[in-house]
Structures are given as structure tokens and as C-alpha cells.
């Protein structure tokens, strides 16, 4: 079959002027046309023709060789999240492709635009259990917005154009294109690359309905205790300004999900804090006291709502979302405002009245003061004992002034970083929210730096999660990118230990984790670093890390058994949030 | 089943546990003719541990457009959410769902019976006539009958033929005509435009929200 293929290709139509190129070249031309500048990838047998073509595209496409495909896709996610562009990832067939699954699932649940290209065995070998053949399309179907297998080079330009259009439009998400090796090699008449802006079966955005805007505005205007909760939709929709104008006109207190943080500055007076399991006291309790709850670009995740049948039952609910499937999925809305919030928010702002809501805003302040006394003070400004995670973040804030991109891993340090890190700019917090993927921080930070090269990027990881993708230090070494790595070492799988302490009578079952000498490991990769355990060293060590030329690893030994509070225990209502 | 009920009761399930009765629903899906789409639609059900009772997929009246007819027993709340998840798929054009009252439906059944028994027994012939069955193949050794109707109708003939040495039986998936449908041709033309009309770009279930708003 292979030979037959080759024979076919020798019949070159001489009359046509159209360029005859291989599928691989057409693919790379497509990437260039889409404005791609960086690819994260790892080669292998089934994707070799594409890598061979890439050799001649070094000037236009910067390929970063990662150490593991999971690292590659998390880097693609970090890139997409910091830049607002589509992340591009290459992997080979079989194990290369299956190593992408965690990242695909993560990008799918966190709506991150990605185009992943996987090599596949020759088309004539499909279904024969060929070497490194895996049914990638079926494995990835549940974790992709769209996927497609290309077996003929002629399909490549159109499929690539579709892939980019689907990945970034509407509610963004990961797309995977699996290309058989014959299609990568096959020469065809390449008539140029045309970007896609229309697929007949695909409606990225529902049409805005004015009556719902009017109904929503009326509800907001009559509200005594309106409360805005926002998520990543505001950032994905690039609607930060529109959002700020909306809450400012109505003086509406607004709280964020961990993917929404940074859409308005931390210090904005209407920013009342974080929602959810480890969110702030006021926003959680007052969710169950507000009279109108305005949810914008968020999906009522169970970590945000706690027990659903006791969630904001007293409130009328307005839900702004671009994805119709999110409306009424978890929480029944009173008014569904379908559409892109970049379009719906200005319409809503026009119709709402200027209000003060002084007393209502004051309530948030009172709860804030209670939380400061009960939790925050001790966490951020301890004077004795071992260091806390909170004080590390607090000292970091003082030095970065909220200008850095913070990329977190998953666990206690993630919750502490999200709670206390200061953000002045949008696209500054990159975290694995929906999937909670340990090992995310280091590779995502590498990608985030490529996506925003003029910004400081700090990866914050626990001693557990850091070891899950620690091999990506090799990527840093090779590409020489400047990423600051802050490991908060509590010598435990902290978040699981916290649950075991609180809910399993301190039966610490396999959460006691040993670590190598991280500074030595970093040093083996040519990365400078330091480990500190004394409070007096903290400020200087952080300063040294931030001022260091190039990547740097700072390991901070923190309290072993600290707990993240407040906490809405699983199965409890948001108003049952515990301060200790 | 019990697990699902328990989940519904805990109010954390897909159905949010509203005390709505389950009944048969018919989901109609118009799609592009794309490899892999059947799987993409099927996993929307399997992921939520929801059983598809009957599934028919075939080319529609429009060239290149496929039609799925799916039957399941669930509450309307669950069915609405499933419909939205299906419509969200890139290659799905449109999804509708209907109760049995809102459709005309049929299932076809084939029955293979030994020819000698039916030849011998006059009773059988009458029975077949009563059930509106017709012979598709008559051979020396066996005869195949066909009938079309509702589930109970095809079932009744099945029970009736069992004592006469029924050899094999098969029933097709349900196909349904939507009473209120005006066909898909006009809709498709709208889909092909970059700026579609309201009806096409909106979710079908939006209109049902008109009554929800109260102040
Ligand atoms: C890949 C993966 N495996 C397991 C978990 C479950 N899990 C969540 S938090 C956590 C502990 C994390 O420990 P560490 O990285 O040391 O961070 P800490 O909580 O101590 O800050 C674990 C095991 C997960 N989220 N992801």
C-alpha cells in the first residue's frame, strides 16, 4: 500500500502552478498563517516527517523540546493562559499521545484553547495493532472540544483552519488533530491557507436577547443586596474593562473563582475576595444572604457552591454565560443572559442605575475584619514558630507589587497562593482549577513565560507536586528561559494530610513524602537555588530569587502541619464555612 | 437505578434531584455525517450512567445530514441537560426532544418461524393477519414475517408466536416523526449563512424560559 501511494505521487500535474508540498509543510504553513510562534513538543517515529519539515522552519516557529509530553501540554496551557493565544503541542503516536491526556482533560475543564498535533501510524496500518498505534481519537474524545484524524494530506489546510477556529472561539477548548504518517509525507497541490470563521454546524455564541438583558437589569435595579460572582469567562472573553465598568456603575460587590482572579485588581474596592471551599468568609456567607446573585462567566463548580440544595436559595439568579449548556446545569437561574459577556455586559451596564449599596458593602468589610482576626493575621504575619505559606506569599507580594504571573501547582500552597497573592493585571494567575492537576506548575510556568516574555513568572509548587514534573527543569536548562520556582516544602502531601487530620482522625495514610535535595537537583540542571528555613532570611531570599538573572529555585521550609482556613467542608453549605 | 436515585436525592447529580417524574423521551439530533460523532454523542449518556434504550441513525432527507433518533426514560430536567450537551458538539446542528405524545413513532420487527408449523396450523395464519404481519420470505424450512408498530404491538405478536416454535426475533430501533416539525431544509439554509437567524443560533430550549421570569 505504501508503494502504491508513492507511485501515485510521481504523477505531478505539470500544467498547474500551484505549489506541490508535503502534508507536513502544509501543516507548518498553517501554523505560521495562524500567527503561532511557539510549539511545545516531543518527537517520535510517527511524527518524524513533521519534525523533518520543522527543521526548515526554525526561524519562524520556535519549537521547545520538553522532557515529557505532559510537560509539553501543560506548557501549551500556560502559554495560552498568559498570552490569550492558542497553545500548540506536538507529540508522537501511542505513548506520546497518551501522555497528553491529563493536559487535555485539564484544558477541557478549564476552557483553555489548544491545538495538539499527534502523529499516527500509516493509514493502511490503522486497526492492526501496529507499533505505537493507539486509538487516539477515541481516547481523547471525552477530553477535547473537537478532534479529527487526517489520513490524506489534502485535508490538512482545511482541518487546521477548523482546529484553530474551534479552539479559540466561543467557549475555548483543546482540539486534537491526529495525522497518519502517510498524510504527513504525501505531496499535494497546496492552494494556500485560508483561515476559518464559519462552520455550519458550529455556533460559538448564542445570540443576545434583549428581553433577558432588560429583565436582568430590572432585577439588579431593584436589588437591595446584589452580589456579583465572576469566573474565567471574563478573562477568556477579554471583557475585563466591561466587567469593571459594570460593577462600578452599580457599586456591586464582586467575588471571584480561582480562575477568574485578576480580571480586576486585587485592591479594587469592590473586589470582596475569593469564593468557594477555601475562599473568603464574607463572600461565602453572604452568598446565602444576597437577594440577587449575578454570575458572570463561571460554571457553579461544586468547589464553589458547596452543598447545592443550600446554595443561594433565597436569591434571584442571573447567569451570564457563552455556553448554553452551563445555564441551569447546576443552579437554576431566574434570568439567563446567554452570550459573550464582552457584548452583554455593556448592554447591561447601560440599563442599570448608579447605586451606593453602602450598608451592604459594609457587611463584606465586617466579615473581612473577622477573617483577618481569626485567620489572616496569623497566616500572613506570624512572629514565632516555623514559617507559614501565607507569609511567603505576602512577602512575595511586597516585592512583586502584584505585577508577576503566579503559576501554582495543586494543594495547600495553591489555595494559599490564590487567597493571598496580589494581582494588578489580568492573565496573572495560572492554576489548574477544574482538574486539580498536580505537576501543573513547573511546565505551565515555562509556557506562561513564553507567552508573556516581558513579565516575571513565579511557579509556586508543593514538595509533592513539584516531583511530578520535576524533569521539566531540563527544558528550562536547554531553552534558557527565566522562570522563578518557589517550592513550599511542608514535608507532607499537605492538602490530603489536612483532610486526614480534619475528617479521618489524623490517620495520616501515605501522605508523608520524602524529597530529594531540590537545590542540588536544580543545580544539576544548571539552575541556581537556595533553601531557607528561617524567617529572617525570607525577604532577602525572595529578593535574590527575583533579581537573579535567569531561572532560580527557592525552597522554603514551612510549617509541617498547617491547615488552610477558612474551609467549607465537603457536603456543607457555603454559610457553614469554618474559620478553624 | 438505585444509585441514580440516591444521587438525585443528594441533589448533587446531573438531575439536581427535582421531584419530576421519569418518562419516555425522544431525542432527535441533526448532525454532519462525521466519523466518530456517534461515539461523541454516546459518551454524553454513558458518562452520566444514563441508558440509551433505542438508537437509530441514518441519512436524513437532506444530503450529507444525518439524523439520530434516541429514546430514553428520564426526567425532563435530565433530558434538557443532555440535549444541551449534545447540541454543544461542534458537528451537531440541532437537537430536539419530545414526549411520546408529541411524535408519531414506529418500530419494525422480524419473526422467523418454522414453515411446517404455520402451514399446519390455521390458527397461526389468523394470528398473523390480526397483527398486520406480512411474510417477507417463505422457504421450506422457515418463514420470516414482518410487522411494524408500537412496542406493545410487536411484543404481542412475539408472545403469540412463541408457542409455535419461534426461531429468531429482532426489533429495530424506534423512528419518529415530530408532529410539529416543519422539516429541516429551511433551518439548514440558515445554518449555512455566517449570520444566522435568531432561531438557529439560539438554543432550542431558550423559548421555554419566557414564563420563568417573575418579579
Ligand atoms: C495528579 C494528582 N494526583 C493526586 C492528587 C490529589 N492531591 C491533591 S492535593 C495533594 C497533595 C499535594 O501535596 P503537595 O504537592 O506537597 O502540596 P501541599 O498540599 O503540601 O501544598 C494530592 C495528593 C492530585 N490533585 N493530582
Amino acid at each position: 500500500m505504501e508503494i502504491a501511494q508513492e507511485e501515485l505521487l510521481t504523477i505531478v500535474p505539470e500544467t498547474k502552478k500551484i505549489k506541490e508540498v508535503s502534508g507536513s509543510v502544509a501543516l507548518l504553513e498553517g501554523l505560521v498563517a495562524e500567527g503561532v510562534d511557539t510549539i511545545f513538543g516531543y518527537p517520535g517515529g510517527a511524527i518524524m516527517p513533521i519534525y523533518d519539515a520543522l527543521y526548515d522552519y526554525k526561524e519562524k516557529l520556535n519549537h521547545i523540546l520538553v522532557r515529557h509530553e505532559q510537560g509539553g501540554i501543560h506548557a501549551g496551557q500556560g502559554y495560552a493562559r498568559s498570552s490569550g493565544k492558542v497553545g500548540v503541542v506536538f507529540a508522537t503516536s501511542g505513548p506520546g499521545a497518551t501522555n497528553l491526556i491529563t493536559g487535555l482533560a485539564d484544558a477541557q475543564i478549564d476552557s483553555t484553547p489548544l491545538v495538539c498535533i499527534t502523529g499516527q501510524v500509516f493509514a493502511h496500518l490503522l486497526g492492526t495493532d501496529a507499533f505505537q498505534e493507539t486509538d487516539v481519537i477515541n481516547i481523547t474524545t471525552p477530553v477535547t472540544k473537537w478532534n479529527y484524524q487526517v489520513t490524506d494530506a489534502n485535508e490538512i489546510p482545511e482541518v487546521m483552519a477548523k482546529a484553530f477556529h474551534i479552539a479559540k472561539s466561543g467557549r475555548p477548548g483543546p482540539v486534537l488533530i491526529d495525522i497518519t504518517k502517510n498524510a504527513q509525507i504525501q505531496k499535494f497541490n497546496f492552494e494556500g491557507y485560508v483561515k476559518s470563521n464559519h462552520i455550519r454546524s458550529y455556533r460559538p455564541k448564542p445570540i443576545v436577547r434583549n428581553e433577558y438583558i432588560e429583565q436582568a437589569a430590572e432585577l439588579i435595579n431593584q436589588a437591595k443586596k446584589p452580589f456579583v460572582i465572576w469566573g474565567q469567562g471574563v478573562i477568556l472573553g477579554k471583557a475585563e474593562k466591561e466587567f469593571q465598568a459594570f460593577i462600578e456603575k452599580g457599586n456591586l460587590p464582586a467575588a471571584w473563582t480561582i480562575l477568574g482572579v485578576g480580571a480586576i485588581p486585587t485592591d479594587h474596592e469592590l473586589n470582596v475576595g475569593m469564593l468557594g471551599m477555601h475562599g473568603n468568609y464574607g463572600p461565602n456567607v453572604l452568598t446565602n444572604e444576597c437577594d440577587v446573585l449575578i454570575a458572570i462567566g463561571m460554571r457553579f463548580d461544586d468547589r464553589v457552591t458547596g452543598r447545592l440544595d443550600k446554595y443561594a436559595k433565597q436569591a434571584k439568579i442571573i447567569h451570564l454565560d457563552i455556553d448554553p449548556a452551563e445555564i441551569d446545569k447546576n443552579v437554576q437561574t431566574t434570568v439567563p443572559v446567554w452570550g459573550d459577556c464582552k457584548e452583554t455586559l455593556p448592554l447591561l451596564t447601560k440599563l442599570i442605575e448608579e447605586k451606593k449599596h453602602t450598608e451592604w458593602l459594609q457587611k463584606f468589610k465586617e466579615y473581612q475584619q473577622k477573617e483577618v482576626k481569626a485567620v489572616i493575621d496569623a497566616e500572613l504575619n506570624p512572629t514565632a514558630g516555623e514559617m507559614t505559606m501565607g507569609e511567603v506569599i505576602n512577602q512575595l507580594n511586597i516585592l512583586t507589587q502584584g505585577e508577576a504571573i503566579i503559576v501554582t501547582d495543586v494543594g495547600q500552597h495553591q489555595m494559599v497562593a490564590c487567597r493571598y497573592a496580589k494581582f494588578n493585571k489580568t492573565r496573572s494567575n495560572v492554576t489548574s482549577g477544574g482538574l486539580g492537576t498536580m505537576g501543573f506548575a513547573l511546565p505551565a510556568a515555562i509556557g506562561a513565560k513564553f507567552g508573556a516574555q516581558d513579565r516575571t513568572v513565579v511557579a509556586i509548587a508543593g514538595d509533592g507536586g513539584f516531583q511530578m514534573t520535576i524533569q521539566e527543569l531540563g527544558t528550562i536548562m536547554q531553552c534558557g528561559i527565566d522562570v522563578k520556582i518557589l517550592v513550599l516544602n511542608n514535608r507532607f502531601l499537605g492538602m490530603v494530610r489536612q483532610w486526614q487530620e480534619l475528617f479521618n482522625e489524623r490517620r495520616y495514610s501515605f501522605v508523608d513524602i520524602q524529597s530529594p535535595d531540590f537545590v542540588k537537583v536544580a543545580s544539576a540542571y544548571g539552575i541556581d537555588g537556595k533553601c531557607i528555613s528561617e524567617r529572617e532570611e525570607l525577604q532577602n531570599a525572595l529578593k535574590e530569587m527575583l533579581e537573579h538573572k535567569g531561572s532560580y529555585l527557592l525552597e522554603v521550609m514551612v510549617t509541617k502541619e498547617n491547615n488552610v482556613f477558612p474551609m467549607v467542608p465537603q457536603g456543607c453549605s457555603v454559610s457553614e464555612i469554618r474559620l478553624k | 437505578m438505585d444509585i441514580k436515585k440516591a444521587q438525585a436525592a443528594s441533589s448533587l447529580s446531573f438531575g439536581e434531584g427535582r421531584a419530576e417524574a421519569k418518562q419516555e423521551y425522544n431525542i432527535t439530533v441533526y448532525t454532519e455525517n462525521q466519523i466518530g460523532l456517534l461515539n461523541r454523542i454516546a459518551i454524553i449518556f454513558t458518562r452520566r450512567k444514563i441508558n440509551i434504550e433505542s438508537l437509530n441513525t441514518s441519512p436524513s432527507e437532506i444530503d450529507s445530514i444525518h439524523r439520530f433518533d434516541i429514546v430514553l426514560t428520564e426526567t425532563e430536567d435530565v433530558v434538557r441537560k443532555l440535549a444541551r450537551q449534545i447540541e454543544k458538539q461542534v458537528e451537531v446542528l440541532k437537537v430536539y426532544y419530545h414526549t411520546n405524545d408529541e411524535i408519531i413513532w414506529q418500530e419494525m420487527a422480524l419473526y422467523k418461524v418454522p414453515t411446517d408449523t404455520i402451514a399446519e396450523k390455521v390458527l397461526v395464519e389468523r394470528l398473523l393477519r390480526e397483527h398486520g404481519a406480512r411474510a417477507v420470505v417463505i422457504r421450506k424450512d422457515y418463514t420470516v414475517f414482518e410487522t411494524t408498530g408500537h412496542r406493545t404491538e410487536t411484543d404481542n405478536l412475539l408472545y403469540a408466536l412463541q408457542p409455535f416454535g419461534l426461531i429468531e426475533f429482532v426489533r429495530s430501533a424506534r423512528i419518529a416523526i415530530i408532529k410539529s416539525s416543519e422539516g429541516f431544509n429551511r433551518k439548514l439554509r440558515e445554518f449555512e449563512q455566517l449570520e444566522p437567524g435568531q432561531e438557529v443560533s439560539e438554543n432550542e430550549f431558550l423559548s421555554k424560559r419566557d414564563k420563568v421570569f417573575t418579579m
Side-chain angles (χ1 to χ4, degrees), chain B residues 24 53-54 71 105-109 146-155 171-175:
Chain B
E24 252 180 30
E53 279 161 33
S54 161
V71 184
W105 65 275
Q106 295 279 281
E107 290 169 353
M108 188 205 241
E146 173 266 301
T147 185
T148 304
H150 279 194
R151 174 71 53 95
T152 45
E153 295 168 304
T154 50
D155 266 351
R171 181 162 38 215
S172 77
R174 174 184 299 187
I175 54 173

Side-chain angles (χ1 to χ4, degrees), chain B residues 12-66:
Chain B
L12 293 170
S13 83
F14 192 55
E16 215 204 303
R18 275 187 293 148
E20 247 184 284
K22 285 189 182 183
Q23 60 169 312
E24 252 180 30
Y25 277 94
N26 302 269
I27 300 181
T28 311
V29 187
Y30 286 98
T31 74
E32 298 290 350
N33 181 15
Q34 189 81 53
I35 295 175
L37 193 56
L38 174 60
N39 187 29
R40 224 174 232 290
I41 290 174
I43 60 176
I44 290 170
F45 295 82
T46 52
R47 174 177 173 191
R48 298 172 173 87
K49 219 167 177 226
I50 290 171
N51 194 26
I52 292 178
E53 279 161 33
S54 161
L55 165 69
N56 184 78
T57 157
S58 59
S60 74
E61 68 270 29
I62 304 163
D63 197 31
S64 82
I65 302 284
H66 257 59

Side-chain angles (χ1 to χ4, degrees), chain A residues 92-147:
Chain A
T92 192
S93 69
T98 56
N99 277 344
L100 296 180
I101 305 297
T102 304
L104 287 171
D106 197 293
Q108 173 84 340
I109 201 163
D110 280 352
S111 309
T112 310
L114 294 180
V115 170
C116 299
I117 308 293
T118 49
Q120 181 57 281
V121 300
F122 284 88
H124 71 272
L125 293 175
L126 287 172
T128 64
D129 300 326
F131 178 64
Q132 293 193 330
E133 185 201 356
T134 306
D135 184 354
V136 173
I137 292 297
N138 277 310
I139 289 181
T140 60
T141 295
V143 289
T144 50
K145 184 173 174 186
W146 187 65
N147 59 5

Side-chain angles (χ1 to χ4, degrees), chain A residues 235-536:
Chain A
I235 297 171
L236 291 170
K238 302 188 169 72
E240 295 91 345
K241 282 211 182 81
E242 291 80 359
F243 174 71
Q244 192 166 331
F246 168 69
I247 58 167
E248 282 175 356
K249 182 164 181 196
N251 256 310
L252 308 167
W256 39 271
T257 72
I258 62 168
L259 291 189
V261 67
I264 56 168
T266 306
D267 291 339
H268 193 286
E269 57 176 3
L270 292 170
N271 185 340
V272 294
M274 172 170 154
L275 294 162
M277 187 174 268
H278 291 292
N280 292 114
Y281 194 33
N284 275 304
V285 174
L286 296 175
T287 295
N288 278 1
E289 280 182 34
C290 67
D291 55 3
V292 176
L293 188 66
I294 307 141
I296 305 176
M298 58 85 71
R299 58 185 177 82
F300 294 106
D301 180 83
D302 58 274
R303 283 294 191 270
V304 162
T305 63
R307 200 172 147 164
L308 258 191
D309 61 356
K310 291 190 177 172
Y311 181 77
K313 285 295 173 200
Q314 80 296 340
K316 295 248 163 56
I317 293 177
I318 301 170
H319 192 180
L320 284 74
D321 210 288
I322 198 165
D323 179 359
E326 287 302 338
I327 307 282
D328 295 342
K329 187 185 79 179
N330 294 335
V331 173
Q332 192 70 26
T333 54
T334 318
V335 180
V337 182
W338 318 64
D340 183 343
C341 63
K342 183 139 185 119
E343 295 163 28
T344 52
L345 278 171
L347 295 173
L348 205 48
T349 307
K350 218 186 283 169
L351 297 186
I352 63 166
E353 293 158 8
E354 286 178 34
K355 288 268 168 78
K356 287 266 181 286
H357 296 304
T358 321
E359 264 173 57
W360 174 232
L361 282 162
Q362 184 57 31
K363 263 204 143 159
F364 283 90
K365 291 210 180 88
E366 282 161 20
Y367 276 102
Q368 170 74 6
Q369 280 155 9
K370 277 186 207 160
E371 188 179 340
V372 167
K373 253 198 205 143
V375 179
I376 301 176
D377 233 359
E379 181 65 35
L380 298 194
N381 307 302
T383 45
E386 285 177 297
M387 277 186 280
T388 64
M389 291 182 177
E391 73 177 310
V392 180
I393 306 296
N394 195 36
Q395 291 299 324
L396 186 67
N397 285 340
I398 294 169
L399 295 168
T400 64
Q401 290 292 315
E403 292 295 316
I405 292 178
I406 304 290
V407 185
T408 74
D409 215 81
V410 171
Q412 291 185 311
H413 66 279
Q414 174 190 33
M415 291 300 116
V416 171
C418 289
R419 282 177 56 81
Y420 299 114
K422 204 173 125 111
F423 300 107
N424 296 339
K425 287 198 181 102
T426 187
R427 297 192 177 276
S428 293
N429 184 44
V430 178
T431 192
S432 168
L435 203 67
T437 307
M438 284 173 72
F440 179 80
L442 180 61
I446 295 170
K449 181 70 185 181
F450 275 105
Q453 304 215 16
D454 53 340
R455 299 188 64 186
T456 301
V457 174
V458 184
I460 301 178
D463 43 322
F466 185 49
Q467 292 184 67
M468 280 208 178
T469 49
I470 196 165
Q471 76 284 350
E472 298 307 327
L473 290 172
T475 307
I476 294 181
M477 170 183 72
Q478 189 164 354
C479 68
I481 194 102
D482 178 358
V483 172
K484 312 303 182 194
I485 304 156
L486 186 54
V487 180
L488 301 181
N489 189 342
N490 55 10
R491 285 137 289 166
F492 268 122
L493 296 174
M495 186 55 92
V496 180
R497 187 211 53 77
Q498 172 169 348
W499 284 49
Q500 289 177 347
E501 177 187 334
L502 298 176
F503 312 117
N504 294 353
E505 297 86 37
R506 295 183 137 255
R507 287 151 54 87
Y508 286 171
S509 182
F510 303 99
V511 287
D512 178 354
I513 188 168
Q514 290 190 6
S515 295
D517 181 332
F518 289 129
V519 177
K520 269 196 192 153
V521 173
S523 142
Y525 282 103
I527 297 166
D528 288 335
K530 191 180 217 170
C531 175
I532 60 163
S533 48
E534 298 303 325
R535 179 158 292 123
E536 298 70 52

